[in-house]
Amino acid sequence: MSTTPSVLFVCVHNAGRSQMAAGFLSHLAGDRVEVRSAGSAPAATINSAAVEAMAEIGIDISAQSPKILTPDAVQTSDVVITMGCGDACPVFPGVSYRDWALEDPAGKGVDAVRPIRDEIRSRVEALIAELVPATA
């Protein structure tokens, strides 16, 4: 593949699920995939339970901050993954849209966030297997 595939993770607040997914994809795929995340109504800060749950497995997302979803971010992505939030994403031809129905970690403690984190990891691993051919 001559170009690096780009993935945009979208949830309403861009504070939990999409940040964890972006953290996993960056960590597991490195520079083989361009990773972005955004929200339609970004929170002021990233979810502290999501930060703690990711830190437990050695992935630091504490420096991330919620970002606003823009049509340009969608249009320049190869894959747009929404996360069970019914977001109204702008639709562009040539962009692959998927919805991952995931429980919202907002307001939950780290014990409740761990299973969400683990589900996101397994989905991200499958996504990497699909987007990045194993030609190492």
Side-chain angles (χ1 to χ4, degrees):
M1 197 181 238
S2 59
T3 59
T4 304
S6 62
V7 176
L8 172 65
F9 294 104
V10 181
C11 65
V12 176
H13 301 298
N14 188 220
R17 293 167 291 190
S18 55
Q19 293 286 356
M20 287 190 287
F24 273 126
L25 188 54
S26 295
H27 180 77
L28 298 171
D31 59 3
R32 297 176 296 161
V33 179
E34 181 185 356
V35 182
R36 292 181 277 203
S37 70
S40 54
T45 59
I46 193 166
N47 180 319
S48 60
V51 170
E52 185 179 341
M54 293 297 282
E56 287 177 351
I57 56 167
I59 300 175
D60 181 7
I61 60 170
S62 63
Q64 298 301 315
S65 59
K67 294 170 273 311
I68 187 73
L69 177 65
T70 64
D72 183 61
V74 175
Q75 189 170 16
T76 57
S77 296
D78 297 309
V79 178
V80 175
I81 297 173
T82 56
M83 303 202 158
C85 51
D87 255 353
C89 250
V91 176
F92 294 98
V95 177
S96 172
Y97 295 89
R98 302 155 192 212
D99 183 66
W100 291 358
L102 295 162
E103 192 176 345
D104 188 349
K108 293 179 170 56
V110 72
D111 289 339
V113 173
R114 282 186 196 109
I116 302 168
R117 172 201 68 198
D118 296 343
E119 171 69 16
I120 291 170
R121 180 183 190 128
S122 65
R123 290 178 186 227
V124 167
E125 288 171 343
L127 181 69
I128 293 168
E130 175 191 334
L131 294 177
V132 182
T135 54

